[in-house]
């Protein structure tokens, strides 16, 4: 084992020496014998760029370290250069090497380099610590991230709000580190780091998600006392927290406060409130809010309209949902597939099949393909109330559009059609055969459904004739 270690060490030393002995442009082009490597190790050729150091300038060493794909070999080169007389690494060499070691998760070696930077009194920049925070976050080491904040102070490098925010974002992603994150947030000002709007938003989001709404509210109010201006996201985070706690009225009041202070709510602010109002069955308030959005400088989009349409349909108020759909074009927003599907389903649930058929035809005329649940619900509804002709009309529309119903629909529709008019069934089957065969076209299932119906009808007829 010891012999293997010595052999590897000798190879490493020889490799490092060869790297320094070659000109920068030919380092990777030639190989030397072991005797040549030993000579070069003992008598490295002086660099013309730096007469004081036998291995050349710090810039050359930095480029050599940067060119290595193996971080440990890069560290060997760094150490070898450090041992040479009259040589001092550039700060860039430290940065490059720390970058390589961080990517490969050699954190103990990074700690050693930081100690050397400190003992040799290198002037460090905030960039180094920005990178270290990122490295520790990627490696999921929250304690190391916290320590980096205090390491900056040891180097007399004042942390910036962006450093604090990156650490806080990482810490709050771990629920168990919410308290340490809050402690750091509260004491940061003692070290000259004043939390900014983003800092407050990070902590407010974390406490809202954790269910600590009262603390989030305290932070929000604290912003004004400390001359930190909240932004649209600050309000939205608190609104979302209030809505999760079913305090929708307070969330609406917060929106009014936001408007009074001159803030213009964004689409997400309104989406949050509309969702909550609809879930709380406060549909009148939701519709009023939708209508007032444009006046307040935020045009309602498809998500806002579909949210309210769904809210009305869920509560059995499909005709109110129709009104919302009619309002959309005049406000610069056209209904989409979700709008029509939701409305047709809502109308069917209320037994308003004729109205539902009208909107399904409108939907298909605009190029939208009806979902299976939509066409199935509509045809089933017509069949259940004895309107087989209307069910056939829906089936005709589907076939004309190039769609064929699924098995569950055939099972319901075929017997009803045959009971009324067997010639109509033959006409339907001819249309089915004209439909382009696709993966979701159920022509075979239609035939199976018809076969099962005919078998049942024959058996029923046979039983009646036997009894007679």
């Amino acid at each position: 084992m010891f012999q293997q270690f010595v052999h590897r060490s000798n190879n490493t030393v020889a490799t490092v020496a060869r790297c320094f002995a070659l000109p920068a442009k030919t380092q990777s082009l030639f190989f030397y014998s072991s005797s040549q490597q030993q000579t070069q190790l003992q008598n490295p050729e002086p660099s013309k760029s730096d007469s004081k150091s036998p291995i050349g300038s710090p810039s050359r060493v930095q480029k050599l370290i940067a060119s290595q794909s193996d971080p440990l070999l890069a560290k060997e080169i760094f150490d070898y250069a450090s041992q040479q007389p009259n040589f001092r690494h550039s700060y860039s060499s430290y940065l490059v090497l720390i970058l390589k070691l961080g990517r490969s998760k050699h954190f103990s070696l990074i700690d050693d380099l930081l100690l050397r930077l400190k003992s040799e009194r290198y002037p460090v920049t905030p960039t180094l610590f920005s990178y270290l925070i990122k490295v520790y976050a990627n490696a999921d080491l929250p304690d190391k991230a916290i320590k980096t904040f205090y390491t900056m102070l040891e180097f007399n490098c004042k942390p910036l709000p962006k450093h604090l925010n990156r650490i806080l974002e990482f810490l709050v992603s771990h629920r168990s580190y919410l308290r340490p994150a809050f402690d750091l947030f509260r004491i940061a000002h003692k070290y000259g780091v004043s939390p900014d709007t983003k800092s407050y938003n990070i902590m407010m989001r974390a406490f809202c998600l954790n269910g600590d709404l009262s603390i989030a509210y305290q932070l929000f109010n604290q912003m004004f006392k400390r001359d930190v201006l909240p932004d649209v996201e600050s309000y939205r985070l608190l609104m979302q927290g209030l809505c999760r706690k079913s305090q929708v009225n307070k969330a609406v009041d917060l929106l009014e406060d936001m408007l009074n202070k001159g803030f213009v709510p964004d689409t997400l602010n309104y989406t949050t409130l509309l969702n909550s109002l609809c879930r709380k069955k406060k549909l009148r308030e939701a519709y009023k809010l939708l209508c007032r959005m444009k006046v307040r400088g935020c045009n309602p989009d498809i998500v806002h309209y579909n949210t309210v349409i769904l809210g009305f349909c869920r509560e059995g108020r499909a005709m109110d949902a129709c009104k919302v759909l009619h309002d959309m074009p005049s406000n610069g927003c056209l209904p989409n597939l979700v709008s029509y599907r939701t409305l047709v389903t809502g109308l069917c649930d209320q037994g308003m099949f004729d109205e539902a058929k009208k909107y399904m035809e409108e939907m298909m005329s605009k190029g939208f393909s009806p979902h299976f649940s939509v066409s199935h619900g509509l045809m089933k509804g017509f069949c259940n109330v004895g309107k087989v002709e209307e069910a056939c009309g829906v089936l005709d529309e589907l076939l004309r559009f190039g769609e064929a119903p699924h098995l569950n629909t055939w099972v319901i529709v075929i017997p009803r059609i045959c009971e009324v008019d067997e010639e109509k069934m033959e006409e339907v089957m001819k249309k089915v055969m004209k439909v382009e065969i696709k993966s979701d076209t159920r022509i075979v299932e239609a035939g199976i459904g018809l076969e099962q119906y005919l078998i049942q009808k024959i058996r029923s007829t046979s039983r009646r004739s036997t009894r007679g």
Side-chain angles (χ1 to χ4, degrees):
M1 188 76 171
F2 177 74
Q3 290 177 342
Q4 290 178 347
F5 173 76
V6 171
H7 178 69
R8 173 168 173 76
S9 299
N10 289 338
N11 285 342
T12 302
V13 171
T15 302
V16 171
R18 181 168 71 247
C19 290
F20 281 115
L22 288 172
K25 292 184 179 179
T26 59
Q27 285 166 7
S28 60
L29 300 179
F30 300 101
F31 293 91
Y32 291 84
S33 66
S34 58
S35 60
Q36 287 174 320
Q37 291 169 352
Q38 273 189 340
T39 304
Q40 291 159 359
L41 177 60
Q42 294 169 2
N43 303 298
E45 180 184 345
S47 170
K48 295 180 181 179
S49 60
D50 192 343
S51 59
K52 293 182 179 180
S53 174
I55 60 171
S57 68
S59 177
R60 182 190 175 200
V61 174
Q62 184 259 321
K63 291 177 182 177
L64 186 57
I65 291 171
S67 68
Q68 304 305 313
S69 58
D70 182 352
L72 295 179
L73 179 56
K75 178 65 166 58
E76 293 282 357
I77 293 171
F78 181 92
D79 290 339
Y80 177 79
S82 301
Q83 296 165 7
Q84 303 309 304
N86 302 318
F87 184 83
R88 179 178 168 85
H89 282 291
S90 67
Y91 178 62
S92 297
S93 293
Y94 277 92
L95 283 178
V96 169
L97 185 55
I98 288 173
L99 178 66
K100 287 182 176 293
L101 294 172
R103 286 174 179 165
S104 54
K105 300 185 179 181
H106 293 292
F107 302 117
S108 61
L109 296 179
I110 290 178
D111 292 338
D112 293 341
L113 288 172
L114 290 174
L115 288 173
R116 289 177 68 167
L117 275 171
K118 187 178 178 182
S119 64
E120 296 180 18
R121 300 182 181 279
Y122 276 85
V124 297
T125 62
T127 304
L128 167 64
F129 299 102
S130 296
Y131 171 69
L132 285 176
I133 294 167
K134 183 179 179 181
V135 164
Y136 295 140
N138 290 341
D140 201 23
L141 297 171
D143 290 316
K144 283 277 191 183
I146 296 172
K147 185 180 177 183
T148 302
F149 181 87
Y150 296 102
T151 302
M152 293 184 73
L153 300 173
E154 292 173 7
F155 276 89
N156 293 319
C157 181
K158 180 182 174 182
L160 302 172
K162 70 176 183 179
H163 296 114
L164 175 64
N165 293 340
R166 286 173 183 170
I167 295 172
L168 292 178
E169 279 183 320
F170 172 43
L171 294 180
V172 299
S173 66
H174 297 72
R175 192 168 184 175
S176 59
Y177 276 84
L178 178 55
R179 181 55 58 180
F182 194 36
D183 291 340
L184 180 62
F185 171 84
R186 287 189 298 180
I187 65 170
H189 70 278
K190 295 181 180 179
Y191 300 103
V193 188
S194 298
D196 58 11
T197 303
K198 185 174 181 181
S199 313
Y200 278 93
N201 288 349
I202 291 168
M203 297 310 303
M204 285 168 58
R205 180 187 295 109
F207 281 117
C208 285
L209 291 174
N210 199 48
D212 298 319
L213 186 59
S214 60
I215 300 177
Y217 236 119
Q218 289 173 16
L219 288 172
F220 181 76
N221 292 328
Q222 191 182 89
M223 293 176 75
F224 296 97
K225 296 176 183 177
R226 296 194 174 175
D227 294 327
V228 179
L229 189 66
D231 59 10
V232 173
E233 185 182 3
S234 309
Y235 280 95
R236 181 175 67 250
L237 291 169
L238 205 52
M239 285 179 193
Q240 290 171 342
L242 288 166
C243 291
R244 288 192 193 96
K245 291 287 187 179
S246 300
Q247 299 179 27
V248 186
N249 290 338
K250 285 188 177 181
V252 174
D253 291 341
L254 193 61
L255 177 70
E256 294 297 329
D257 178 70
M258 182 180 182
L259 291 163
N260 292 336
K261 286 186 168 71
F263 291 94
V264 179
D266 62 10
T267 57
L268 289 174
N269 290 104
Y270 284 107
T271 301
T272 299
L273 289 179
L274 288 171
N275 269 320
S276 297
L277 288 168
C278 289
R279 282 200 303 269
K280 285 293 177 181
K281 303 180 182 181
K282 297 189 175 187
L283 300 173
R284 182 171 176 272
E285 290 85 349
Y287 183 65
K288 281 176 62 178
L289 182 62
L290 184 70
C291 295
R292 292 167 66 187
M293 283 179 65
K294 192 170 184 179
V295 180
R296 292 174 167 179
C298 183
N299 289 330
D301 61 21
I302 191 67
V303 175
H304 300 129
Y305 280 108
N306 286 349
T307 299
V308 178
I309 288 172
L310 179 61
F312 277 123
C313 288
R314 279 177 174 170
E315 294 306 309
R317 296 173 59 179
M319 291 309 296
D320 288 322
C322 293
K323 184 178 185 305
V324 176
L325 189 112
H326 292 155
D327 290 343
M328 293 175 69
S330 61
N331 288 319
C333 185
L334 297 177
N336 65 0
L337 181 60
V338 175
S339 314
Y340 282 110
R341 282 182 179 177
T342 304
L343 184 57
V344 172
T345 302
L347 290 166
C348 288
D349 289 342
Q350 287 188 249
M352 305 172 71
F353 303 114
D354 292 323
E355 196 72 18
K357 182 184 177 185
K358 184 183 78 172
Y359 281 105
M360 195 186 85
E361 289 171 351
E362 181 180 320
M363 171 177 65
M364 295 174 69
S365 70
K366 293 182 178 179
F368 296 123
S369 173
H371 188 262
F372 155 71
S373 61
V374 175
S375 57
H376 175 79
L378 186 53
M379 283 188 275
K380 180 182 178 181
F382 275 130
C383 289
N384 287 343
V385 296
K387 293 185 174 182
V388 179
E389 192 66 34
E390 285 79 356
C392 290
V394 175
L395 184 59
D396 285 344
E397 285 293 322
L398 283 176
L399 297 173
R400 189 169 59 83
F401 196 76
E403 298 282 343
H406 287 209
L407 177 60
N408 291 340
T409 308
W410 288 121
V411 170
I412 292 172
V413 174
I414 289 176
R416 296 298 179 90
I417 296 176
C418 291
E419 287 173 2
V420 176
D421 188 351
E422 292 187 7
E423 291 182 4
K424 182 69 177 177
M425 189 65 245
E426 183 180 351
E427 179 186 338
V428 169
M429 292 304 296
K430 286 180 180 179
K431 289 182 179 179
V432 168
M433 297 306 296
K434 294 179 182 179
V435 175
E436 179 186 355
I437 298 178
K438 302 176 185 176
S439 59
D440 58 349
T441 303
R442 308 296 186 176
I443 294 177
V444 175
E445 291 173 353
I448 292 172
L450 179 60
E451 179 187 20
Q452 290 174 344
Y453 170 76
L454 292 174
I455 291 171
Q456 290 173 0
K457 187 174 182 181
I458 292 169
R459 286 175 179 172
S460 177
T461 304
S462 299
R463 287 170 188 164
R464 283 199 296 269
S465 61
T466 302
R467 288 172 185 171

